[in-house]
Amino acid sequence: MTLVQKHGEAAGHAATAIALLGIIPLALDAFWINLVGKYLAFAFVAIGIVLSWGYCGILSLGQGIFFGIGGYAMAMFLKLEASAPELPDFMVWSSVEQLPLWWEPFKSLGFTLFTILALPIAVAFPFSYAIFRKRVSGVYFAIVTISLALTVNVLLVGSQGETGGANGITDFRTLLGWDILGDGSKRTLYFVEALLLLAVMALAAALVHTRFGKLLIAVRDREDRVRFSGYDTAMIKAFVFSVAAVLSSIGGSLYTLQVGLITPGLIGAVASVEMVIFAAVGGRLSIVGAVLGALLIGFMKSYLSEQFPEFWLFFLGGLFIFVVVVMPNGLAGTLQRLVRFKA
Amino acid sequence: MSFDIAVTQLFNGVSLFTILLLMALGLAIVFGLMGVINMAHGELMALGAYTTYLTAKFFEEHMPSLMNVYLFFAIALAFGVTFVFGYVLERGFIRWFYNRPLDTLLATWGLSLVLQQTYRSVFGAQEVSVPLATWLSGAWTVSEGIQLPLNRIFIIGLTALVAAGVYLILHKTRLGLRARAVTQNRAMSSAVGIDTNRVDALTFALGSGLAGIAGSVFTMIGSTNPGTGQLYIVDSFIVVVFGGVASLIGTVFSGFAIAQAQTTLEYLMSGSMAKVSILLLVIVVLYFRPNGLFAPKMRS
């Protein structure tokens, strides 16, 4: 065993930290930093997918729902602040006279943050525990989640007056009076996001290395044996699915802050499946890989859909096929193989 | 609710049912029977629709006198094209992913994106539509308050025909017998001399061909764009899963149940709310019957 191999993972985390906190802020201007921040929001989702899909074998095609919970909660708070004391503009356009009751609590930042962290668990845990108890898994779980993503999308688009419909929620610029659109504040936001991401990466890596992490892999590989050994596998799966949901939600709220808008398009079936490819490209078993994948695909998307709009879907579609056929363990897996091969 | 409205509602329900059934039949074979999860199934429908569009164009230019019957050629051609495409797809792509359902899902999703962009590059991003034959436009006026569109009646008849055809193929032909044998016990079928690879390819091609027919028929009620397939795919999966995979009868019943519930709910609330309610209802039912309404009682 070489040194690189032994400490490969720690090195990966360290390299990510240096890149995110050192190289990127020094080398790039505010516009690019903001762009990186936007893709990093998806890195949170990708880490969640690595944990639930890579380690525990639960493929959810509905991560967009949780991304939306975080994104919309944050956007609702910002929108209320931006339009106070009047009603948000889109409500006025749809002739909604009074603030809907469920909007009221989002006047408080504390409640909003609480929602971002707690609501995904409140939704994901009971739902997935019930489903896993019934031993619905694999492809069926994927189909159920993708149809839920579709449902939430339809619901958001359909209720124009209360959610902003297809346009989503946008047009806000202050967080507790602090301008979030200026170059300086974008930089601050970026650092907050990067630090949060590094913390999440460390926590996720720690989780994977505990006994519980070994259990996750066991559930993925032979769920029945784990069940026969006396574990409540449904509980294990529901737990990791809830973790993935919270990470998605955090990602969504940061996305809203970075980009300044949230739309139903980010929640639907197509967006939700796209989130899986971040983890797949980076390596479904690698936390560093997930971050790398999110950044890489994000940039490719921006670049290709601007320069060669025709080519983007060919590329994305081809990538799905390529990753499954040639690189089932993604970039990180390929890298690991190379290192081992040379050693 | 007056009698007229009740009849119209019922007809709308039956009409939606046949549309759902037509969509889901192909998938019931590919996913239900073979267990292959093909996310590009919707794009196969779009392929059928575009084939119909091209056929209509051809007839318009070269044989305008036959424009009234072009649809029959178009349906046959759509079936043929998607059948061959499905055969090639199974041999060259799908078969490498057997026994890896989640990978199949992602790879075929990738394929669906590639196909969508291909349609967009070839046919353009805007919607295309075909002229409706004169004998299919208009409505059958049953009474003062009841008018039933002819094209919907045609679709109902055609779906009945196709469903009967699928039943006969699966239960009265050698191919059907082999297909069912292979799905029940692959190793044993192979041992008694069935060429399972060939059966797989033909069964998949049949399912794809049915998608082609569905796509072709849908040109009668709506226009086609590169993203058309994506509208159908989730609905089709829901119908098949709700009915219970490996059960053709289940697919029929679940299509009927979903269609009637949807038209009734649409009458009572907005379209999107109706759709949401149906999806939640399906998930609740699946919770109590995880294998669908008509799960076969056998050991796997």
Side-chain angles (χ1 to χ4, degrees):
Chain A
M1 224 190 206
T2 62
L3 210 65
V4 183
Q5 223 180 320
K6 203 169 171 188
H7 301 287
E9 199 187 331
H13 282 259
T16 316
I18 294 170
L20 289 183
L21 297 177
I23 300 172
I24 289 175
L26 285 177
L28 301 176
D29 61 12
F31 171 78
W32 282 95
I33 287 181
N34 184 233
L35 218 51
V36 174
K38 173 177 163 188
Y39 306 138
L40 283 185
F42 289 109
F44 286 89
V45 188
I47 291 175
I49 293 174
V50 163
L51 290 178
S52 67
W53 179 41
Y55 280 92
C56 203
I58 309 164
L59 180 58
S60 158
L61 299 181
Q63 291 309 95
I65 300 170
F66 306 114
F67 193 80
I69 290 179
Y72 268 91
M74 186 51 91
M76 283 161 74
F77 171 75
L78 295 174
K79 189 73 192 171
L80 283 178
E81 183 179 314
S83 50
E86 274 144 53
L87 278 180
D89 45 13
F90 62 86
M91 290 189 183
V92 179
W93 299 332
S94 326
S95 51
V96 172
E97 312 259 303
Q98 207 185 351
L99 197 65
L101 201 60
W102 59 281
W103 271 73
E104 286 293 341
F106 287 94
K107 283 179 177 162
S108 128
L109 181 62
F111 180 84
T112 307
L113 293 179
F114 176 74
T115 308
I116 291 168
L117 295 176
L119 188 60
I121 300 177
V123 173
F125 188 80
F127 160 76
S128 64
Y129 185 66
I131 293 243
F132 292 139
R133 268 291 292 274
K134 287 282 173 178
R135 298 184 196 170
V136 172
S137 57
V139 186
Y140 293 93
F141 190 72
I143 294 175
V144 169
T145 46
I146 199 178
S147 37
L148 276 178
L150 186 81
T151 312
V152 174
N153 179 288
V154 169
L155 200 61
L156 284 174
V157 174
S159 36
Q160 169 86 36
E162 301 198 351
T163 64
N167 301 323
I169 303 178
T170 182
D171 214 5
F172 34 74
R173 55 178 309 135
T174 56
L175 174 69
L176 293 180
W178 176 58
D179 185 5
I180 54 170
L181 293 181
D183 283 353
S185 44
K186 278 189 171 170
R187 195 169 270 264
T188 314
L189 267 181
Y190 169 82
F191 275 110
V192 171
E193 182 175 18
L195 284 172
L196 209 55
L197 182 67
L198 289 168
V200 164
M201 285 172 69
L203 283 176
L207 179 76
V208 168
H209 287 294
T210 55
R211 269 177 64 86
F212 185 76
K214 299 283 175 282
L215 214 51
L216 289 182
I217 297 173
V219 168
R220 177 193 69 195
D221 291 341
R222 286 304 294 269
E223 188 178 345
D224 46 359
R225 284 199 188 178
V226 181
R227 194 183 305 123
F228 297 155
S229 313
Y231 289 99
D232 184 356
T233 54
M235 185 63 94
I236 296 170
K237 288 164 88 175
F239 174 79
V240 77
F241 182 68
S242 307
V243 171
V246 175
L247 291 180
S248 252
S249 174
I250 295 175
S253 65
L254 288 166
Y255 180 91
T256 303
L257 280 173
Q258 292 281 353
V259 182
L261 89 166
I262 185 90
T263 64
L266 290 158
I267 286 137
V270 177
S272 296
V273 181
E274 231 174 87
M275 290 171 187
V276 174
I277 198 74
F278 299 144
V281 166
R284 61 182 86 165
L285 288 173
S286 166
I287 289 154
V288 178
V291 177
L292 203 66
L295 282 176
L296 203 66
I297 308 257
F299 274 108
M300 287 305 273
K301 183 171 188 172
S302 295
Y303 176 71
L304 285 175
S305 48
E306 268 168 36
Q307 303 293 321
F308 313 96
E310 292 256 301
F311 193 67
W312 162 241
L313 274 186
F314 281 135
F315 172 79
L316 187 65
L319 196 64
F320 267 102
I321 299 170
F322 179 80
V323 164
V324 168
V325 175
V326 186
M327 298 198 310
N329 287 320
L331 287 174
T334 312
L335 201 69
Q336 259 164 18
R337 258 217 324 262
L338 285 179
V339 170
R340 197 166 307 156
F341 186 68
K342 288 207 177 119
Chain B
M1 221 197 293
S2 72
F3 176 71
D4 287 354
I5 294 176
V7 171
T8 313
Q9 278 295 320
L10 193 70
F11 178 79
N12 285 344
V14 171
S15 173
L16 182 64
F17 157 56
T18 52
I19 290 168
L20 283 179
L21 183 59
L22 213 47
M23 269 185 339
L25 266 180
L27 207 66
I29 289 180
V30 169
F31 176 57
L33 220 54
M34 299 177 71
V36 173
I37 178 154
N38 180 15
M39 297 303 276
H41 194 78
E43 276 60 42
L44 292 174
M45 291 187 207
L47 183 65
Y50 278 119
T51 308
T52 308
Y53 168 70
L54 288 180
T55 316
K57 278 258 179 225
F58 179 83
F59 271 71
E60 223 168 16
E61 273 179 32
H62 300 282
M63 295 178 263
S65 55
L66 291 177
M67 266 314 272
N68 262 337
V69 290
Y70 87 90
L71 191 63
F72 295 103
F73 292 95
I75 291 175
L77 203 61
F79 178 77
V81 169
T82 44
F83 185 90
V84 172
F85 188 81
Y87 192 92
V88 174
L89 189 63
E90 202 279 340
R91 287 290 78 190
F93 190 78
I94 301 285
R95 70 164 166 151
W96 304 107
F97 301 112
Y98 281 143
N99 298 324
R100 289 157 62 194
L102 294 181
D103 286 351
T104 319
L105 196 157
L106 293 178
T108 51
W109 180 269
L111 181 72
S112 83
L113 295 181
V114 171
L115 285 175
Q116 273 173 43
Q117 187 57 49
T118 311
Y119 299 148
R120 195 164 291 136
S121 303
V122 175
F123 297 99
Q126 73 281 26
E127 313 232 310
V128 298
S129 51
V130 299
L132 198 61
T134 43
W135 55 277
L136 278 176
S137 41
W140 175 38
T141 313
V142 185
S143 73
E144 194 75 3
I146 305 174
Q147 288 195 333
L148 309 179
L150 286 175
N151 58 353
R152 300 273 175 163
I153 297 177
F154 178 78
I155 294 178
I156 293 173
L158 191 80
T159 308
L161 212 64
V162 171
V166 170
Y167 176 82
L168 288 179
I169 288 177
L170 282 182
H171 290 272
K172 300 286 171 198
T173 66
R174 301 290 292 182
L175 171 68
L177 187 65
R178 289 184 179 134
R180 284 182 295 132
V182 170
T183 47
Q184 277 184 14
N185 192 331
R186 177 171 300 271
M188 202 62 195
S189 311
S190 183
V192 295
I194 296 176
D195 183 351
T196 53
N197 289 336
R198 212 178 118 74
V199 170
D200 282 337
L202 282 175
T203 318
F204 189 86
L206 177 67
S208 306
L210 289 172
I213 294 183
S216 178
V217 169
F218 292 158
T219 58
M220 293 168 56
I221 48 174
S223 45
T224 311
N225 67 49
T228 302
Q230 289 218 315
L231 293 178
Y232 299 133
I233 185 72
V234 176
D235 282 343
S236 318
F237 267 111
I238 289 170
V239 171
V240 174
V241 170
F242 185 57
V245 292
S247 163
L248 223 48
I249 299 292
T251 305
V252 174
F253 272 94
S254 98
F256 188 76
I258 291 178
Q260 289 299 342
Q262 187 154 332
T263 40
T264 314
L265 286 176
E266 266 172 10
Y267 181 77
L268 299 172
M269 50 178 105
S270 75
S272 61
M273 277 311 283
K275 196 154 177 122
V276 171
S277 318
I278 294 285
L279 274 168
L280 294 181
L281 209 66
V282 166
I283 289 173
V284 169
V285 172
L286 278 181
Y287 173 74
F288 289 105
R289 291 191 65 94
N291 293 320
L293 287 178
F294 288 79
K297 284 199 172 52
M298 64 176 187
R299 282 191 239 176
S300 56

Coordinates of all heavy atoms in Angstrom, one line a residue, chain A residues 203-268:
Chain A
L203 N -18.2 15.5 7.7 CA -19.2 14.7 8.5 C -19.6 13.4 7.7 O -19.7 12.3 8.3 CB -20.4 15.5 8.8 CG -20.3 16.5 9.9 CD1 -21.5 17.4 10.0 CD2 -20.0 15.8 11.2
A204 N -19.8 13.6 6.4 CA -20.2 12.5 5.6 C -19.1 11.4 5.6 O -19.4 10.2 5.7 CB -20.5 13.0 4.1
A205 N -17.8 11.9 5.4 CA -16.7 10.9 5.4 C -16.6 10.2 6.8 O -16.4 9.0 6.8 CB -15.4 11.7 5.1
A206 N -16.8 11.0 7.8 CA -16.8 10.3 9.2 C -17.9 9.3 9.3 O -17.7 8.2 9.8 CB -16.9 11.4 10.2
L207 N -19.1 9.6 8.8 CA -20.2 8.7 8.9 C -19.9 7.4 8.2 O -20.2 6.3 8.7 CB -21.5 9.4 8.3 CG -22.7 8.5 8.3 CD1 -23.3 8.5 9.7 CD2 -23.8 9.0 7.3
V208 N -19.3 7.5 7.0 CA -19.0 6.4 6.2 C -18.0 5.4 6.9 O -18.1 4.2 6.7 CB -18.5 6.8 4.8 CG1 -17.9 5.7 4.0 CG2 -19.6 7.5 4.0
H209 N -17.1 6.0 7.7 CA -16.1 5.2 8.3 C -16.5 4.6 9.6 O -15.7 3.9 10.2 CB -14.8 6.0 8.5 CG -14.1 6.2 7.2 ND1 -13.6 5.2 6.4 CD2 -13.9 7.3 6.4 CE1 -13.1 5.6 5.3 NE2 -13.3 6.9 5.3
T210 N -17.7 5.0 10.1 CA -18.1 4.3 11.4 C -18.7 2.9 11.1 O -18.8 2.5 9.9 CB -19.3 5.2 12.0 OG1 -20.3 5.3 11.0 CG2 -18.8 6.5 12.4
R211 N -19.0 2.3 12.2 CA -19.7 1.0 12.0 C -21.0 1.1 11.2 O -21.3 0.2 10.4 CB -20.1 0.4 13.4 CG -19.0 -0.4 14.0 CD -19.5 -0.8 15.4 NE -20.7 -1.6 15.4 CZ -20.6 -3.0 15.2 NH1 -19.5 -3.6 15.1 NH2 -21.7 -3.7 15.2
F212 N -21.6 2.2 11.4 CA -22.9 2.5 10.7 C -22.6 2.5 9.2 O -23.5 2.0 8.4 CB -23.5 3.8 11.2 CG -24.9 4.1 10.6 CD1 -26.0 3.4 11.0 CD2 -25.0 5.0 9.5 CE1 -27.2 3.6 10.4 CE2 -26.3 5.2 9.0 CZ -27.4 4.5 9.4
G213 N -21.5 3.1 8.8 CA -21.2 3.1 7.4 C -21.0 1.7 6.8 O -21.4 1.5 5.7
K214 N -20.4 0.9 7.6 CA -20.3 -0.5 7.1 C -21.6 -1.2 7.0 O -21.9 -2.0 6.0 CB -19.4 -1.3 8.1 CG -18.0 -0.8 8.3 CD -17.1 -1.2 7.2 CE -15.7 -0.6 7.3 NZ -15.7 0.9 6.8
L215 N -22.5 -0.8 7.9 CA -23.9 -1.3 7.8 C -24.6 -0.9 6.5 O -25.3 -1.7 5.9 CB -24.6 -0.8 9.1 CG -25.6 -1.7 9.7 CD1 -25.0 -3.1 10.0 CD2 -26.1 -1.1 11.0
L216 N -24.4 0.4 6.2 CA -25.0 0.9 5.0 C -24.6 0.0 3.8 O -25.4 -0.4 3.0 CB -24.5 2.3 4.7 CG -25.0 3.4 5.6 CD1 -24.5 4.8 5.2 CD2 -26.5 3.4 5.6
I217 N -23.3 -0.3 3.7 CA -22.8 -1.1 2.6 C -23.4 -2.5 2.6 O -23.8 -3.0 1.6 CB -21.2 -1.1 2.6 CG1 -20.7 0.3 2.4 CG2 -20.7 -2.1 1.5 CD1 -19.2 0.4 2.6
A218 N -23.5 -3.0 3.8 CA -24.1 -4.3 4.0 C -25.5 -4.3 3.5 O -26.0 -5.3 2.8 CB -24.0 -4.8 5.4
V219 N -26.3 -3.3 3.8 CA -27.7 -3.2 3.4 C -27.7 -3.1 1.9 O -28.6 -3.8 1.2 CB -28.4 -2.0 4.0 CG1 -29.7 -1.7 3.4 CG2 -28.5 -2.2 5.5
R220 N -26.8 -2.4 1.3 CA -26.8 -2.3 -0.2 C -26.5 -3.6 -0.8 O -27.2 -4.0 -1.7 CB -25.7 -1.3 -0.6 CG -25.6 -1.1 -2.1 CD -24.3 -0.4 -2.4 NE -23.1 -1.2 -2.1 CZ -21.9 -0.8 -2.1 NH1 -21.6 0.5 -2.3 NH2 -20.9 -1.6 -1.8
D221 N -25.6 -4.4 -0.3 CA -25.2 -5.6 -0.9 C -26.1 -6.8 -0.6 O -26.4 -7.5 -1.5 CB -23.7 -5.9 -0.6 CG -22.8 -4.9 -1.2 OD1 -23.2 -4.2 -2.2 OD2 -21.6 -4.8 -0.7
R222 N -26.4 -7.0 0.6 CA -27.3 -8.1 1.0 C -28.2 -7.7 2.1 O -28.0 -8.0 3.2 CB -26.5 -9.3 1.4 CG -25.8 -10.0 0.3 CD -26.7 -10.5 -0.8 NE -27.6 -11.5 -0.4 CZ -27.4 -12.8 -0.5 NH1 -26.3 -13.3 -0.9 NH2 -28.3 -13.7 -0.1
E223 N -29.3 -7.0 1.7 CA -30.2 -6.4 2.7 C -30.8 -7.6 3.5 O -31.0 -7.4 4.7 CB -31.3 -5.6 2.0 CG -32.1 -4.9 3.0 CD -33.2 -4.0 2.5 OE1 -33.2 -3.8 1.3 OE2 -34.1 -3.6 3.2
D224 N -31.2 -8.7 2.9 CA -31.9 -9.7 3.7 C -31.0 -10.3 4.8 O -31.4 -10.5 5.9 CB -32.3 -10.9 2.7 CG -31.3 -11.3 1.7 OD1 -30.2 -10.7 1.8 OD2 -31.6 -12.2 0.9
R225 N -29.7 -10.4 4.5 CA -28.8 -10.9 5.5 C -28.7 -10.0 6.7 O -28.7 -10.4 7.9 CB -27.4 -11.1 5.0 CG -27.3 -12.3 4.1 CD -25.9 -12.7 4.0 NE -25.7 -13.8 3.0 CZ -24.6 -14.3 2.6 NH1 -23.5 -13.9 3.2 NH2 -24.5 -15.2 1.7
V226 N -28.7 -8.7 6.4 CA -28.6 -7.7 7.5 C -29.9 -7.8 8.3 O -29.9 -7.7 9.5 CB -28.4 -6.3 6.9 CG1 -28.3 -5.3 8.1 CG2 -27.2 -6.2 6.1
R227 N -31.0 -8.0 7.6 CA -32.3 -8.0 8.3 C -32.3 -9.3 9.2 O -32.7 -9.2 10.3 CB -33.4 -8.1 7.3 CG -34.8 -7.8 7.9 CD -35.9 -7.9 7.0 NE -35.8 -7.1 5.8 CZ -35.8 -7.5 4.6 NH1 -36.0 -8.8 4.3 NH2 -35.7 -6.7 3.6
F228 N -31.8 -10.4 8.7 CA -31.8 -11.6 9.4 C -30.9 -11.5 10.7 O -31.1 -12.2 11.6 CB -31.4 -12.8 8.6 CG -32.3 -13.1 7.4 CD1 -31.9 -13.7 6.3 CD2 -33.6 -12.7 7.5 CE1 -32.7 -14.0 5.2 CE2 -34.5 -12.9 6.4 CZ -34.0 -13.6 5.3
S229 N -29.9 -10.7 10.6 CA -29.0 -10.5 11.7 C -29.7 -9.6 12.8 O -29.0 -9.4 13.8 CB -27.7 -9.8 11.3 OG -27.2 -10.5 10.1
G230 N -30.9 -9.2 12.5 CA -31.6 -8.5 13.6 C -31.6 -7.0 13.5 O -32.1 -6.3 14.4
Y231 N -31.1 -6.5 12.4 CA -31.2 -5.0 12.2 C -32.5 -4.6 11.6 O -33.1 -5.4 10.8 CB -30.0 -4.5 11.3 CG -28.7 -4.6 11.9 CD1 -27.8 -5.7 11.6 CD2 -28.2 -3.6 12.8 CE1 -26.6 -5.7 12.2 CE2 -27.0 -3.7 13.4 CZ -26.2 -4.7 13.1 OH -24.9 -4.8 13.6
D232 N -32.9 -3.4 11.9 CA -34.1 -2.9 11.2 C -33.6 -2.1 10.0 O -33.3 -1.0 10.0 CB -34.8 -1.9 12.2 CG -36.1 -1.4 11.6 OD1 -36.4 -1.7 10.4 OD2 -36.8 -0.6 12.3
T233 N -33.5 -2.8 8.9 CA -32.9 -2.2 7.7 C -33.7 -1.1 7.2 O -33.2 -0.1 6.6 CB -32.8 -3.3 6.5 OG1 -34.0 -3.9 6.3 CG2 -31.8 -4.3 6.9
A234 N -35.1 -1.1 7.4 CA -35.9 0.0 6.9 C -35.5 1.3 7.6 O -35.4 2.4 7.0 CB -37.4 -0.3 7.1
M235 N -35.2 1.1 8.9 CA -34.8 2.3 9.7 C -33.5 2.9 9.2 O -33.3 4.1 9.0 CB -34.7 1.9 11.2 CG -34.4 3.0 12.1 SD -35.7 4.2 12.1 CE -36.6 3.6 13.5
I236 N -32.5 2.0 8.9 CA -31.2 2.4 8.4 C -31.4 3.2 7.1 O -30.8 4.2 6.9 CB -30.3 1.2 8.2 CG1 -30.0 0.5 9.5 CG2 -29.0 1.5 7.5 CD1 -29.4 -0.9 9.4
K237 N -32.2 2.6 6.2 CA -32.4 3.2 4.9 C -33.1 4.5 5.0 O -32.7 5.5 4.4 CB -33.1 2.3 4.0 CG -32.3 1.1 3.5 CD -33.2 0.0 3.0 CE -33.4 0.1 1.5 NZ -34.1 -1.0 0.9
A238 N -34.1 4.6 5.9 CA -34.9 5.8 6.0 C -34.0 6.9 6.6 O -34.0 8.1 6.2 CB -36.1 5.6 6.9
F239 N -33.1 6.5 7.5 CA -32.1 7.5 8.1 C -31.2 8.1 7.0 O -31.1 9.3 6.9 CB -31.3 6.8 9.2 CG -30.2 7.7 9.8 CD1 -30.5 8.7 10.7 CD2 -28.9 7.6 9.3 CE1 -29.6 9.5 11.2 CE2 -27.9 8.5 9.8 CZ -28.3 9.4 10.8
V240 N -30.6 7.2 6.2 CA -29.7 7.8 5.3 C -30.4 8.6 4.2 O -29.9 9.6 3.7 CB -28.8 6.6 4.7 CG1 -29.5 5.8 3.6 CG2 -27.5 7.2 4.1
F241 N -31.6 8.1 3.9 CA -32.4 8.9 2.9 C -32.8 10.3 3.5 O -32.7 11.3 2.8 CB -33.7 8.1 2.6 CG -34.6 8.8 1.5 CD1 -34.1 8.9 0.2 CD2 -35.8 9.3 1.9 CE1 -34.9 9.6 -0.7 CE2 -36.6 9.9 0.9 CZ -36.1 10.1 -0.4
S242 N -33.0 10.3 4.8 CA -33.3 11.6 5.4 C -32.1 12.5 5.4 O -32.2 13.7 5.2 CB -33.8 11.4 6.8 OG -34.9 10.5 6.9
V243 N -30.9 11.9 5.7 CA -29.7 12.7 5.6 C -29.5 13.3 4.2 O -29.3 14.5 4.1 CB -28.5 11.8 6.0 CG1 -27.2 12.6 5.7 CG2 -28.5 11.4 7.4
A244 N -29.8 12.5 3.2 CA -29.6 13.0 1.8 C -30.6 14.1 1.6 O -30.3 15.1 0.9 CB -29.9 11.8 0.8
A245 N -31.8 14.0 2.2 CA -32.9 15.0 2.0 C -32.5 16.3 2.6 O -32.6 17.4 2.0 CB -34.2 14.5 2.6
V246 N -31.9 16.3 3.8 CA -31.5 17.5 4.5 C -30.4 18.2 3.7 O -30.4 19.4 3.4 CB -31.0 17.2 5.9 CG1 -30.5 18.5 6.5 CG2 -32.1 16.7 6.7
L247 N -29.4 17.4 3.2 CA -28.3 17.9 2.4 C -28.9 18.6 1.2 O -28.4 19.7 0.8 CB -27.3 16.8 2.0 CG -26.5 16.3 3.2 CD1 -25.5 15.2 2.8 CD2 -25.8 17.4 3.9
S248 N -29.8 18.0 0.5 CA -30.5 18.6 -0.7 C -31.1 19.9 -0.3 O -31.0 20.9 -1.1 CB -31.6 17.6 -1.2 OG -31.2 17.0 -2.3
S249 N -31.8 19.9 0.8 CA -32.5 21.1 1.2 C -31.5 22.3 1.5 O -31.7 23.4 1.1 CB -33.3 20.8 2.4 OG -33.9 22.0 2.9
I250 N -30.4 21.9 2.2 CA -29.4 23.0 2.4 C -28.8 23.5 1.1 O -28.7 24.7 0.9 CB -28.2 22.4 3.3 CG1 -28.7 22.0 4.6 CG2 -27.1 23.4 3.4 CD1 -27.7 21.3 5.5
G251 N -28.6 22.6 0.2 CA -28.1 23.0 -1.2 C -29.1 23.9 -1.8 O -28.7 24.9 -2.4
G252 N -30.4 23.6 -1.7 CA -31.4 24.4 -2.3 C -31.4 25.8 -1.8 O -31.5 26.8 -2.5
S253 N -31.3 25.9 -0.4 CA -31.4 27.3 0.2 C -30.2 28.1 -0.2 O -30.3 29.3 -0.5 CB -31.5 27.1 1.7 OG -30.3 26.6 2.2
L254 N -29.0 27.4 -0.3 CA -27.8 28.2 -0.8 C -27.9 28.6 -2.2 O -27.4 29.6 -2.6 CB -26.6 27.3 -0.5 CG -26.2 27.2 1.0 CD1 -25.2 26.0 1.1 CD2 -25.7 28.5 1.5
Y255 N -28.5 27.7 -3.0 CA -28.7 28.0 -4.4 C -29.5 29.3 -4.6 O -29.2 30.2 -5.3 CB -29.5 26.9 -5.1 CG -29.7 27.1 -6.6 CD1 -28.8 26.7 -7.5 CD2 -30.9 27.7 -7.0 CE1 -29.0 26.9 -8.9 CE2 -31.1 28.0 -8.4 CZ -30.2 27.5 -9.3 OH -30.4 27.8 -10.6
T256 N -30.6 29.4 -3.8 CA -31.5 30.6 -3.8 C -30.6 31.8 -3.5 O -30.7 32.9 -4.1 CB -32.6 30.5 -2.8 OG1 -33.4 29.3 -3.2 CG2 -33.5 31.7 -2.9
L257 N -29.8 31.7 -2.5 CA -29.0 32.9 -2.0 C -28.0 33.2 -3.1 O -27.7 34.4 -3.4 CB -28.2 32.5 -0.8 CG -29.1 32.6 0.5 CD1 -28.3 32.1 1.7 CD2 -29.5 34.1 0.7
Q258 N -27.4 32.2 -3.8 CA -26.3 32.5 -4.7 C -26.9 33.1 -6.1 O -26.4 34.0 -6.7 CB -25.6 31.2 -5.1 CG -24.7 30.7 -3.9 CD -23.4 31.5 -3.8 OE1 -23.1 32.3 -4.6 NE2 -22.7 31.2 -2.7
V259 N -28.0 32.5 -6.5 CA -28.5 32.8 -7.8 C -29.6 33.9 -7.8 O -29.8 34.6 -8.7 CB -29.0 31.5 -8.5 CG1 -29.5 31.8 -9.9 CG2 -28.0 30.4 -8.5
G260 N -30.3 34.0 -6.6 CA -31.3 35.0 -6.5 C -32.6 34.6 -7.1 O -33.5 35.4 -7.3
L261 N -32.8 33.3 -7.4 CA -34.2 32.9 -7.8 C -34.3 31.4 -7.6 O -33.3 30.7 -7.5 CB -34.5 33.3 -9.2 CG -34.2 32.3 -10.3 CD1 -34.9 32.7 -11.6 CD2 -32.7 32.2 -10.6
I262 N -35.6 30.9 -7.5 CA -35.8 29.5 -7.4 C -37.0 29.3 -8.3 O -38.0 30.0 -8.3 CB -36.1 29.0 -6.0 CG1 -36.2 27.5 -5.9 CG2 -37.3 29.6 -5.3 CD1 -34.9 26.7 -5.7
T263 N -37.0 28.2 -9.2 CA -38.1 27.9 -10.1 C -38.5 26.5 -10.0 O -37.7 25.7 -9.5 CB -37.7 28.2 -11.6 OG1 -36.6 27.3 -11.9 CG2 -37.2 29.6 -11.8
P264 N -39.7 26.2 -10.4 CA -40.2 24.8 -10.3 C -39.3 23.9 -11.2 O -39.3 22.7 -11.0 CB -41.6 24.8 -10.8 CG -42.0 26.2 -10.7 CD -40.8 27.1 -10.8
G265 N -38.7 24.5 -12.2 CA -37.9 23.7 -13.1 C -36.8 22.9 -12.4 O -36.3 21.9 -12.8
L266 N -36.3 23.5 -11.2 CA -35.2 22.9 -10.5 C -35.7 21.7 -9.6 O -34.9 21.0 -9.0 CB -34.6 23.9 -9.6 CG -33.8 25.0 -10.3 CD1 -33.6 26.2 -9.5 CD2 -32.4 24.4 -10.7
I267 N -37.0 21.5 -9.6 CA -37.6 20.5 -8.7 C -38.1 19.3 -9.5 O -38.2 18.2 -8.9 CB -38.7 21.2 -7.9 CG1 -38.0 22.1 -6.9 CG2 -39.6 20.2 -7.2 CD1 -38.7 23.4 -6.7
G268 N -38.4 19.5 -10.7 CA -39.1 18.5 -11.5 C -38.3 17.2 -11.7 O -37.2 17.1 -11.2

